[in-house]
Amino acid sequence: MKKVSHFLLSLITVFCFITNLNAQHNPEFEEKILELVNELRAQNGAPPVILNTSLNTAARDHSVDMATHNYFSHTGLNGSSFSQRIQNAGYQGASIGENIAAGSSTAEATFNQWVNSTGHFNNMINPSANEMGIGYGFDNQAQYRHYWTQVFGYGNTLSINEFQTEKEEIVMHPNPTKGNLNISLKNTNKQKVFLTIYDVNGKVVYNDQIKNHQDDFKVSFEHLPNGMYYLQINQLSIKKVVKI
């Protein structure tokens, strides 16, 4: 009987541990923050940022650590700074800044906390940043329960970033372009795809929904001045386009 009881107790412990891990971060919240930040940057003349895997890892780990150990600080319990955390997560770019927040259960409310604080607001519209990581952590036993971390960096990885669903292939040519840009998008998961093109000041110069297909399509740059542009797919992938 003791062996059965110990076995059941172990199963309950493992189940509770797995349940807690699943509740500790929420990709949908993180994607919403990305959308709101890029809208804010466009309104303030800054180019969009993309999600970076290493920055996401550092942000998520710090949020989960704060929630799990019930503290709120830019300094980790191990004495680490945000710059050290992103380096430890494998980030190769330059560190720009970090925002943290606690207490709000939604991405919108957390974003408004940062907007209403001058230092946090300036981090979000800093034109030097081109990559961002977002992390959400939750623990019902912690003082604030909901913990958020946002880190900004500057790197040279403006290229195809991971999609959350199935991988997609994006091919563009010619790049640089003098007129039409030919884009091939293999939309294997049959979801809606939204294409947005920004200029270097964050202004939207093209915005459209692409139907589910695997055919090539064209975007005209003929009416746009020469320079660099950012082509964005579903808020998750950005490629650089040069008009000459």
Side-chain angles (χ1 to χ4, degrees):
M1 185 66 181
K2 279 187 176 181
K3 289 184 178 180
V4 174
S5 298
H6 289 164
F7 176 72
L8 290 176
L9 181 61
S10 298
L11 283 179
I12 293 171
T13 302
V14 170
F15 175 76
C16 290
F17 176 70
I18 293 174
T19 302
N20 187 41
L21 278 180
N22 288 338
Q24 280 181 337
H25 69 80
N26 188 320
E28 291 183 5
F29 285 2
E30 295 160 7
E31 290 170 30
K32 185 61 179 178
I33 291 287
L34 174 67
E35 178 185 340
L36 293 170
V37 167
N38 275 335
E39 288 177 359
L40 180 70
R41 290 174 68 85
Q43 293 166 8
N44 288 273
V49 291
I50 62 170
L51 291 179
N52 176 276
T53 303
S54 296
L55 293 180
N56 270 346
T57 297
R60 284 180 176 177
D61 287 353
H62 188 54
S63 291
V64 170
D65 192 56
M66 288 191 293
T68 303
H69 297 100
N70 194 21
Y71 74 99
F72 182 69
S73 174
H74 287 284
T75 304
L77 287 184
N78 61 356
S80 62
S81 66
F82 89 92
S83 296
Q84 291 170 328
R85 289 191 292 272
I86 67 176
Q87 289 176 0
N88 291 340
Y91 188 61
Q92 301 296 313
S95 57
I96 299 295
E98 179 184 70
N99 289 342
I100 59 175
S104 294
S105 61
T106 67
E108 292 84 355
T110 301
F111 175 75
N112 287 333
Q113 284 180 267
W114 288 328
V115 167
N116 292 322
S117 168
T118 301
H120 298 87
F121 177 87
N122 289 339
N123 276 341
M124 291 193 290
I125 65 168
N126 188 333
S128 297
N130 65 1
E131 297 175 325
M132 181 173 68
I134 308 160
Y136 167 76
F138 173 83
D139 193 308
N140 197 45
Q141 303 302 314
Q143 180 179 0
Y144 300 113
R145 301 178 64 200
H146 308 275
Y147 294 79
W148 302 76
T149 303
Q150 180 183 53
V151 288
F152 295 91
Y154 177 81
N156 58 0
T157 58
L158 278 175
S159 59
I160 297 177
N161 205 29
E162 297 92 337
F163 282 79
Q164 278 211 311
T165 53
E166 298 179 29
K167 289 185 177 179
E168 311 220 9
E169 297 175 1
I170 303 172
V171 179
M172 306 188 311
H173 65 90
N175 188 15
T177 181
K178 293 183 178 181
N180 289 329
L181 180 70
N182 299 295
I183 302 173
S184 177
L185 174 66
K186 185 179 179 182
N187 186 20
T188 56
N189 57 7
K190 303 300 182 185
Q191 71 175 26
K192 292 180 180 179
V193 175
F194 296 92
L195 171 66
T196 305
I197 298 176
Y198 301 86
D199 65 16
V200 292
N201 295 316
K203 180 182 178 182
V204 175
V205 296
Y206 182 91
N207 190 24
D208 198 10
Q209 177 182 330
I210 304 167
K211 294 181 180 179
N212 298 328
H213 57 64
Q214 296 184 5
D215 298 332
D216 293 346
F217 59 96
K218 294 181 179 180
V219 177
S220 176
F221 279 73
E222 292 180 348
H223 64 291
L224 297 174
N226 294 347
M228 188 170 68
Y229 296 86
Y230 298 93
L231 183 147
Q232 186 173 45
I233 304 288
N234 282 2
Q235 299 286 346
L236 294 177
S237 177
I238 284 186
K239 296 194 77 172
K240 287 188 292 187
V241 181
V242 177
K243 164 71 184 304
I244 57 176

